[in-house]
Amino acid sequence: MNHLSFIAAAYGLTLVVVLVFAIGAWRRGVAAQRRLAALDPRNATTMPGDAA
Amino acid sequence: MSNTNTFGPAGLNLHRFANPGRFLRLSGAVLPWLAVSGVVITAIGLGWGLFLAPADWQQGDAVRIMYVHVPAAWLASLGYVMLACASLASLVWRHPLADLAAAEIGPVGAGITAICLATGSLWGKPMWGAWWVWDARMTSVLVLFFLYLGHIALVRAFDDQQRGYRAAAILALVGVVNLPIIKFSVEWWNTLHQPASITLSGAPSMAPALLWPLLVSAIGFNLGFAAVVVARLRAAVMERRIRALLLARARNDLQNA
């Protein structure tokens, strides 16, 4: 495979950026859900005005 | 009298999906499917492009960079369209979920545009002999990256968050003018960048052996982008709820003191 270093750098960079965003979003969601459950255990995933 | 609301006829009542509580429930069900399908389809597309697709007769194996660069480029523009739509909904209907959606799309769009620019540079060096040239396509995508950065900065620039959302929404809508410039830059100006190989109006000028992995990869990128944005938006909705609960608790404590 020619130009292997350029190809590896392009795929590696893409993977790193995507992983940073995906893991960041997942960790932020878990932290928010945990905090919300601690503050308001009954309605951790519901909002005011949310019709049944 | 027809049954319509601000977001269209009752059959397409999008407003009810914009309710934060309903959004959390729906997105909680959809997110795992989005994430898994995004990862699997992207892996198939990239694996296909990297190991099974043939090398280009002119570019050799360097053409394999296309399978990350082109989906990122398409998604950078599509993400901006989504940002502009959320900004329009925020300015016209003042819906709080639209504000949050715009704020969460911005950083992910900037990340994708950075991938597009960096992989383009990594493709350009072996093919053109230069990491960067100030041609119309590359410069207009760089402007798109700066528009995303400007949006991120404006959202956080004001003490009053609503003012930040409004200023960022205006910037996002003004920046839409850059999208046709990106699309048609290779036709309007003489550039190093090749013209579009895939158009809506005509047959693709690319061999099917190269085209299919590109399309699969692009679908995977779109699903992955949607999954990350939905996950960030879910977190943002919950964080807003946390702030509201803490504020209510502080008010109660103050009244009882």
Side-chain angles (χ1 to χ4, degrees):
Chain A
M1 198 180 269
N2 53 17
H3 306 305
L4 184 61
S5 55
F6 292 98
I7 299 167
Y11 278 71
L13 185 80
T14 303
L15 190 68
V16 167
V17 173
V18 168
L19 279 178
V20 164
F21 274 103
I23 293 171
W26 176 71
R27 286 185 63 177
R28 204 177 134 196
V30 168
Q33 203 155 17
R34 207 169 280 167
R35 187 117 193 260
L36 193 55
L39 281 170
D40 186 14
R42 287 171 306 136
N43 299 312
T45 56
T46 57
M47 295 280 146
D50 187 13
Chain B
M1 193 172 148
S2 66
N3 186 10
T4 59
N5 64 23
T6 10
F7 281 77
L12 287 168
N13 186 350
L14 296 178
H15 193 275
R16 65 198 176 93
F17 294 112
N19 174 293
R22 193 168 287 122
F23 168 78
L24 280 182
R25 272 203 312 278
L26 277 173
S27 61
V30 169
L31 185 57
W33 294 99
L34 264 183
V36 170
S37 59
V39 168
V40 169
I41 294 173
T42 304
I44 291 170
L46 293 185
W48 190 352
L50 200 53
F51 301 113
L52 302 175
D56 184 68
W57 70 279
Q58 269 185 320
Q59 300 187 32
D61 286 308
V63 77
R64 297 182 199 284
I65 296 174
M66 171 178 73
Y67 303 111
V68 287
H69 173 70
V70 174
W74 287 342
L75 196 47
S77 290
L78 184 65
Y80 199 86
V81 171
M82 289 166 61
L83 178 67
C85 289
S87 299
L88 187 69
S90 157
L91 282 176
V92 175
W93 293 289
R94 299 279 167 95
H95 199 284
L97 208 55
D99 288 334
L100 288 181
E104 298 306 327
I105 291 168
V108 189
I112 284 290
T113 312
I115 289 174
C116 169
L117 289 167
T119 55
S121 191
L122 285 162
W123 197 2
K125 180 64 179 167
M127 293 300 105
W128 300 337
W131 294 105
W132 181 265
V133 284
W134 290 100
D135 91 340
R137 171 59 67 83
M138 293 163 77
T139 307
S140 54
V141 174
L142 184 65
V143 169
L144 181 73
F145 181 60
F146 289 146
L147 282 167
Y148 274 123
L149 294 187
H151 186 272
I152 295 166
L154 273 179
V155 164
R156 291 154 180 79
F158 295 89
D159 288 335
D160 176 4
Q161 210 167 28
Q162 287 307 315
R163 285 184 66 197
Y165 286 141
R166 214 163 305 148
I170 291 166
L171 174 74
L173 289 177
V174 170
V176 169
V177 76
N178 190 42
L179 294 178
I181 295 175
I182 293 173
K183 169 84 179 103
F184 296 109
S185 56
V186 286
E187 293 169 26
W188 291 343
W189 292 284
N190 210 1
T191 70
L192 259 182
H193 208 282
Q194 68 188 59
S197 304
I198 303 165
T199 58
L200 291 174
S201 54
S205 62
M206 189 187 287
L210 300 175
L211 179 66
W212 283 110
L214 176 62
L215 293 179
V216 172
S217 183
I219 292 168
F221 267 59
N222 279 285
L223 290 168
F225 180 87
V228 170
V229 168
V230 167
R232 289 174 64 98
L233 189 49
R234 278 177 61 78
V237 168
M238 287 188 276
E239 284 162 1
R240 179 173 277 190
R241 174 79 177 139
I242 290 165
R243 276 196 300 275
L245 284 170
L246 289 174
L247 203 62
R249 196 171 280 187
R251 275 203 199 105
N252 272 345
D253 291 348
L254 211 61
Q255 279 170 356
N256 294 336

